Amino acid sequence: MYHQNSGDDHARRTTRRTAWWTLDSIGSVVGFVFAILSVTPSLLPRPAILQGVLAALAFGIGYLLGAVIWAIIRKLLWKDGAVPHFRRIWWFVYAGAWILAVVALSVLSTVWQNEVRSLVSMPPLDRADIAGFAIAFIPVAVLLLLLGKTVRLMRTRLRRRMHTVLATAATAIIVGGVAAGLVFAALATVDRIYFDRNHLPEESVEEPDSEFRSAGPESAIAWESLGRHGAEFVGGGPSAAEITEVTGVEAIEPIRVYAGLKSAPTLAERTALVVDELERTGAFDREVLVVATTTGSGWLEPQTVDAVEYLHGGDTAIAAMQYAYTPSWVSFIFDPDAPVEAARALFDAIEAKVDTLPADKRPQLISYGLSLGAHGSQAVFADITDLRERTDGALFVGSPNGSSLWRTLQAARDDGSPEWQPVLDDGREVRWISRAGDEEQLSGPWENPRVLYLQHATDPVTWLSSELLWSSPEWLDAGQRSPDISTAMRWIPIVTGLQVTVDMLVGEAVPASYGHNYGDVVLTAWQQVAPSDGIDDLALERVQAALENYSTIPRHEE
């Protein structure tokens, strides 16, 4: 064992061994294990650079946990200060372990990633990109270590001037304040960047000349006020002539109404503008009226909004308004209540107007949202009964995990149905589908109004939750796992949460039918929620083909 020959002399030697710039041996081991585990498969393929960042983050968290746990053990077992000394040869062994791991994992990770790529219909990789991994891993890992060592040095120096507890508290306050400042500065920078982007779209998008569009003739909403995505929405989409050409059915001009953040100074005023525009354009006389909640930046997914217009021969109106100008994850951090407040204000106002109409003169009132928009749309309603009483149908695409209605319905699903594609009450009121054909799996009645969730087993937006850090999810259980998820994916405390977080960054970098891409199934979805009898199977095939051509166009909300 370890003995204290001379208290003062040993304390000085121990201090030298634990200088601020030295590495903690147990922390290094735990960090190494976490980094290795981070290379295992998750929901989606990861580029080498992202894998390097992920491994560095996993290493940093593992190092911190290991160092803290080792410090507690030292205090409990070696109260006299005589702690084990790790000889220099240990670090040569440690370095050798890293070399062996990199060599072995360069082969194994290629196998794993190619399996995941195959499952999401992506071509295989020839080999691992070790250089790309190293370029990302080394600087991030070093930076995290330096930050940790700086905090340790600060605490050590403060301990010389005050009690240990006070030094720890002071360090925590200082570090917390600096971290909060850095996060605020980073978010402010992102906010500034996207504020500048929230202007008119590319020159190819033209100001509408149709009276059925916001910013068109006689519209009270100015083109310049719509923001980038609002302008793309009202300036895009199929015309009546284009719908007729594809479907072979005589169409009318679809109505698109949108209010940007600059269209009016307050939420209430923007809401009133949208309702006025709907009245001006005759939207309440249309067959289908879709109340759409945008993503964080004000984006509406083109395939989905175009699909409902094709399906109903343009006898539609789509109403939306902007509540932020940053991507969904930034908007949620800045103001998580914004999508809920905007969705509730808009739906309530439109519903109030619809309720004044004769029952046989009302349009089908449909609630729709994608991603953060789905979160906002769902929050309008207290429960599934409230939703079905107030709408004629609902379509929620890629619902975030934190949406209360989604979580309630998932938890209530029928015994034996998988979490990734649940069945609730035999599909009588609400159903989930992932791709075309899933709608035929349940043969029982689906009563109107219909509620439909589009949900992929590989969508990280849907499956990312804080519980992943400490609890294994049901969707990874043997009897629950989707065939789209690698059999090599295993729940690992903390690591799986990090992996799925990184997966969100590539959620739209995979083909349709996987990740956060739903464009190939939206026409099927609308046929279930708001079906049309005026279009035959051949016309539907032509519409589907037209929508699939959108895959050549970048589809994102930035």
Side-chain angles (χ1 to χ4, degrees):
M1 289 294 293
Y2 298 87
H3 302 283
Q4 185 174 5
N5 298 322
S6 172
D8 293 340
D9 182 62
H10 181 82
R12 285 193 294 270
R13 292 199 307 273
T14 302
T15 300
R16 286 194 298 270
R17 287 200 302 270
T18 58
W20 77 272
W21 43 264
T22 59
L23 291 176
D24 184 274
S25 53
I26 302 302
S28 299
V29 171
V30 178
F32 171 79
V33 172
F34 271 41
I36 297 303
L37 292 174
S38 75
V39 181
T40 58
S42 57
L43 295 176
L44 298 173
R46 295 187 295 268
I49 290 180
L50 268 184
Q51 178 60 65
V53 173
L54 170 61
L57 293 173
F59 173 81
I61 293 174
Y63 183 96
L64 176 62
L65 289 175
V68 169
I69 292 172
W70 181 231
I72 294 172
I73 292 175
R74 289 201 307 264
K75 288 184 178 297
L76 293 176
L77 299 184
W78 292 284
K79 296 181 180 179
D80 59 355
V83 298
H85 171 58
F86 290 85
R87 300 182 181 277
R88 184 173 299 177
I89 191 174
W90 153 256
W91 296 108
F92 286 106
V93 173
Y94 183 71
W98 267 108
I99 294 172
L100 289 174
V102 169
V103 172
L105 287 176
S106 65
V107 176
L108 191 55
S109 67
T110 302
V111 174
W112 282 333
Q113 287 300 303
N114 279 340
E115 180 193 8
V116 177
R117 291 174 71 88
S118 174
L119 290 171
V120 298
S121 302
M122 294 179 69
L125 301 171
D126 294 332
R127 55 185 174 78
D129 183 3
I130 298 178
F133 174 87
I135 288 172
F137 175 79
I138 294 173
V140 175
V142 170
L143 177 61
L144 292 175
L145 285 173
L146 288 176
L147 290 174
K149 293 300 182 181
T150 301
V151 171
R152 178 181 175 182
L153 177 61
M154 180 192 308
R155 180 175 177 273
T156 299
R157 292 187 173 179
L158 287 174
R159 286 178 60 188
R160 297 173 184 172
R161 295 172 173 81
M162 60 183 72
H163 189 274
T164 299
V165 175
L166 292 177
T168 301
T171 302
I173 292 172
I174 294 171
V175 171
V178 172
L182 291 174
V183 170
F184 179 81
L187 291 178
T189 300
V190 171
D191 182 76
R192 181 73 247 181
I193 291 171
Y194 284 97
F195 176 81
D196 292 338
R197 289 188 181 184
N198 186 43
H199 297 300
L200 295 184
E202 300 295 331
E203 294 182 358
S204 59
V205 178
E206 298 180 356
E207 185 174 351
D209 58 5
S210 169
E211 61 181 301
F212 298 107
R213 303 292 176 101
S214 291
E218 301 181 10
S219 174
I221 296 178
W223 172 248
E224 294 78 10
S225 73
L226 291 173
R228 178 184 178 190
H229 293 307
E232 290 173 346
F233 171 65
V234 302
S239 65
E242 290 169 331
I243 294 173
T244 299
E245 181 180 0
V246 172
T247 63
V249 177
E250 191 66 29
I252 61 176
E253 199 67 32
I255 294 172
R256 292 190 172 195
V257 170
Y258 190 102
L261 283 173
K262 294 185 290 184
S263 297
T266 67
L267 176 61
E269 290 174 293
R270 290 192 291 274
T271 301
L273 268 180
V274 171
V275 175
D276 289 345
E277 282 284 281
L278 291 173
E279 290 189 272
R280 179 188 67 80
T281 55
F284 296 105
D285 297 324
R286 293 300 174 97
E287 180 184 4
V288 175
L289 172 53
V290 178
V291 184
T293 306
T294 69
T295 63
S297 61
W299 186 64
L300 289 167
E301 202 277 316
Q303 285 171 303
T304 308
V305 292
D306 291 8
V308 72
E309 294 173 339
Y310 278 112
L311 184 63
H312 289 275
D315 195 6
T316 58
I318 303 174
M321 65 182 182
Q322 187 180 25
Y323 55 83
Y325 48 77
T326 50
S328 292
W329 67 272
V330 181
S331 299
F332 188 78
I333 291 174
F334 270 115
D335 190 356
D337 295 327
V340 173
E341 293 171 352
R344 182 171 291 131
L346 185 59
F347 187 88
D348 288 352
I350 294 176
E351 179 189 32
K353 175 61 182 177
V354 169
D355 286 346
T356 66
L357 304 175
D360 60 346
K361 298 294 184 181
R362 297 174 183 176
Q364 295 180 51
L365 185 60
I366 307 295
S367 177
Y368 159 71
L370 163 69
S371 196
L372 190 57
H375 172 71
S377 292
Q378 291 175 83
V380 172
F381 310 102
D383 52 32
I384 191 65
T385 301
D386 184 44
L387 168 59
R388 297 181 72 245
E389 287 177 349
R390 297 173 61 189
T391 71
D392 295 293
L395 174 60
F396 303 127
V397 182
S399 175
N401 191 275
S403 298
S404 177
L405 179 60
W406 177 87
R407 292 177 73 96
T408 299
L409 296 174
Q410 289 275 143
R413 70 187 186 275
D414 297 349
D415 291 341
S417 66
E419 189 174 20
W420 66 274
Q421 194 171 57
V423 176
L424 177 61
D425 196 16
D426 293 324
R428 185 173 62 87
E429 297 177 338
V430 56
R431 296 188 181 185
W432 288 257
I433 67 175
S434 178
R435 48 180 65 103
D438 289 351
E439 74 279 3
E440 300 175 357
Q441 292 183 4
L442 298 179
S443 58
W446 189 1
E447 299 175 0
N448 288 313
R450 293 178 170 185
V451 179
L452 177 61
Y453 285 87
L454 296 188
Q455 178 167 295
H456 291 330
T458 53
D459 187 352
V461 173
T462 296
W463 305 118
L464 178 63
S465 67
S466 57
E467 292 96 329
L468 273 182
L469 296 173
W470 63 80
S471 176
S472 177
E474 288 186 75
W475 47 269
L476 280 181
D477 291 349
Q480 294 269 337
R481 184 186 298 259
S482 163
D484 290 343
I485 297 178
S486 168
T487 56
M489 183 179 180
R490 293 289 183 271
W491 177 75
I492 305 168
I494 299 175
V495 173
T496 300
L498 290 175
Q499 288 178 321
V500 178
T501 299
V502 170
D503 284 342
M504 289 186 66
L505 300 178
V506 293
E508 293 185 355
V510 292
S513 298
Y514 309 100
H516 204 48
N517 283 344
Y518 295 89
D520 64 322
V521 73
V522 290
L523 181 61
T524 298
W526 285 123
Q527 287 177 276
Q528 308 309 308
V529 173
S532 172
D533 296 329
I535 185 170
D536 60 28
D537 290 343
L538 290 177
L540 287 173
E541 291 178 7
R542 293 194 296 272
V543 173
Q544 182 67 28
L547 295 174
E548 288 176 356
N549 287 334
Y550 289 34
S551 62
T552 62
I553 305 171
R555 55 174 313 279
H556 51 74
E557 59 165 311
E558 283 75 25

